[in-house]
Amino acid sequence: MEEADLSLVVIDLVRAGETEDLAHERALLAKLAHDGKQALILYNIGNEELTVGELTQRGYYLGSNVSYNLKKLVESGYINHERSDVDRRSVHVSLTDKGTEIREIVAKLFDRHLDSIEAVGNVRAEDFEEMNTSLR
């Protein structure tokens, strides 16, 4: 999903508010709504511990962009970062509880949109997976 698309999706959730804990999720997403890149970084890290290099190698981001955004996410308490014991040049990142909370909200949002697309456009999750694989 393009960064601009994610921003619109995040803003959509903030406006639509179709979740169990609406006020709490609105407040969390409003903090990141101005920068969909950061929400997308949290989503793509998921439950893994990745290096900055792995994020760029997977084709999600350019090196300078990811470094800037990771710095902001670390400062905001969404991401843990730790230098590798083996290679001091390498930095490992993982989500904090606060980052995991945002990731789960974005995941719910993606699921909700996928349900809408399946119902209206007859496009299944498997179709998107095949398309993404083909585009890589």
Side-chain angles (χ1 to χ4, degrees):
M1 176 171 275
E2 294 292 321
E3 293 166 0
D5 293 340
L6 181 64
S7 294
L8 294 174
V9 169
V10 170
I11 290 167
D12 177 52
L13 179 63
V14 171
R15 288 184 182 148
E18 297 177 1
T19 61
E20 307 83 51
D21 192 0
L22 173 64
H24 180 66
E25 289 183 2
R26 277 186 184 184
L28 288 172
L29 287 174
K31 291 178 186 176
L32 289 174
H34 69 280
D35 194 344
K37 291 178 226 170
Q38 292 178 358
L40 189 57
I41 288 171
L42 296 174
Y43 179 80
N44 286 320
I45 291 172
N47 295 327
E48 298 183 61
E49 182 178 287
L50 303 173
T51 65
V52 176
E54 288 171 324
L55 281 172
T56 56
Q57 285 174 353
R58 292 179 181 191
Y60 296 138
Y61 317 95
L62 298 174
S64 60
N65 290 340
V66 76
S67 295
Y68 170 81
N69 284 301
L70 285 173
K71 179 182 176 190
K72 293 295 182 187
L73 289 165
V74 168
E75 290 171 358
S76 301
Y78 292 104
I79 290 181
N80 295 311
H81 76 95
E82 186 178 315
R83 290 225 175 261
S84 170
D85 292 334
V86 177
D87 182 354
R88 301 300 294 168
R89 298 169 296 171
S90 181
V91 176
H92 294 267
V93 294
S94 61
L95 300 184
T96 63
D97 290 341
K98 189 175 171 183
T100 299
E101 191 171 7
I102 294 292
R103 188 211 182 274
E104 289 171 358
I105 293 169
V106 173
K108 280 192 235 176
L109 180 62
F110 284 152
D111 289 343
R112 190 183 89 209
H113 280 243
L114 182 56
D115 290 344
S116 296
I117 291 169
E118 286 177 344
V120 174
N122 198 27
V123 179
R124 301 168 300 128
E126 295 81 16
D127 298 330
F128 281 112
E129 289 172 15
E130 287 178 26
M131 181 175 52
N132 285 334
T133 300
S134 297
L135 292 172
R136 288 186 184 162

